[in-house]
Amino acid sequence: MRTKAAVAALIVLTGGVTVGCADADGAADTRSAEQLLDEADRTMRALTSVTIATDTETGLGNGRSSRLRTDLKSRCTYTSTETTGSELEQIRIGETDYIHGNEVYFEMWGRETVPAMRQKPWLKSPVNSARGADSLADCAWPYSSYGKATKGEPTEIDGKPVIAVETPNEDFGDGTDTYYIAAEGKPYLLKIVYVGSHHRATTEFSGFNEPLSIRPPAAVDVLDLSSLPQGGSD
């Protein structure tokens, strides 16, 4: 799925750890880069919901902005816009996708199209029917990092103290991922920045454990793709 290819992610999690960039005596944080990633990984994997906003761009001038609101299992909403003009809105509930795209999106998507698909705002489709060119999101998010980690200097993101950890990115064969981990309170992963020779991506995490209400579109607005005859294109 192209949404995930934009960035690498983190490592192994199970609960929150209270941390700070300095103790009460002002001592510097002595945790290693690997320890920071491990703590962030445990915290992120324990989440019940999160919002993941991603902006990507390539050296060719192409780009995508997306927003995924997810329970990290099987329920999520996703929106994306691309510099090509493609726009997509997706709702995934269990094994069912609800898809709303503009004309440009359907010109590019990976399945056959028929005129009837334009008669309803939303299309209903089994998750296992998705194709790569559909650009649909998965509700799960793989937290994993690669290569040797290097601890950076404390800094801030939107006024919040963070510690940066840099790792080489092996998905694209070059470039680096910089993970920004909260230095106070629970060690949430707040941001990942990937910079490579032909690609750049920024992913931001927010809305940790906030209530998640995801419902299907109104039935009157939905066309079930399984009800269409096989074959034929517009």
Side-chain angles (χ1 to χ4, degrees):
M1 185 188 66
R2 291 188 295 173
T3 346
K4 290 180 183 172
V7 289
L10 245 227
I11 324 179
V12 192
L13 330 105
T14 297
V17 180
T18 301
V19 299
C21 55
D23 61 25
D25 297 322
D29 192 312
T30 59
R31 290 169 298 166
S32 68
E34 289 77 12
Q35 288 174 324
L36 287 164
L37 289 176
D38 283 343
E39 291 180 2
D41 188 63
R42 286 193 295 273
T43 302
M44 298 299 285
R45 289 188 188 273
L47 292 174
T48 58
S49 66
V50 66
T51 297
I52 304 171
T54 302
D55 287 297
T56 68
E57 59 183 57
T58 70
L60 300 175
N62 298 323
R64 177 193 296 112
S65 295
S66 66
R67 185 179 187 272
L68 175 68
R69 180 70 180 148
T70 177
D71 67 357
L72 296 169
K73 294 178 182 178
S74 61
R75 298 169 63 248
C76 59
T77 61
Y78 176 72
T79 59
S80 73
T81 59
E82 301 189 19
T83 52
T84 59
S86 175
E87 297 180 0
L88 165 67
E89 185 175 357
Q90 172 197 356
I91 300 171
R92 177 167 290 185
I93 301 174
E95 295 302 313
T96 301
D97 278 322
Y98 298 91
I99 304 162
H100 175 72
N102 67 358
E103 287 295 325
V104 177
Y105 171 78
F106 285 114
E107 288 173 4
M108 301 174 65
W109 90 327
R111 295 181 246 179
E112 195 172 47
T113 62
V114 296
M117 292 169 56
R118 271 65 169 184
Q119 296 174 5
K120 300 280 188 175
W122 290 89
L123 303 179
K124 179 181 178 180
S125 176
V127 169
N128 60 14
S129 294
R131 302 291 182 265
D134 295 350
S135 301
L136 300 179
D138 191 345
C139 297
W141 183 272
Y143 293 101
S144 58
S145 65
Y146 305 94
K148 180 177 175 58
T150 303
K151 183 178 178 180
E153 295 297 323
T155 183
E156 289 188 352
I157 292 179
D158 297 329
K160 301 175 182 177
V162 296
I163 300 175
V165 176
E166 185 176 289
T167 69
N169 183 294
E170 296 179 354
D171 281 350
F172 297 103
D174 70 346
T176 58
D177 291 302
T178 303
Y179 300 84
Y180 294 92
I181 300 165
E184 295 179 353
K186 290 185 177 181
Y188 292 123
L189 174 63
L190 298 182
K191 187 175 186 178
I192 305 173
V193 176
Y194 167 75
V195 178
S197 56
H198 303 291
H199 186 91
R200 179 182 178 91
T202 300
T203 301
E204 297 181 310
F205 302 83
S206 62
F208 305 111
N209 293 326
E210 291 183 354
L212 190 65
S213 178
I214 296 176
R215 295 181 175 86
V220 69
D221 293 328
V222 176
L223 173 67
D224 190 338
L225 289 182
S226 67
S227 69
L228 296 178
Q230 298 298 312
S233 61
D234 68 3

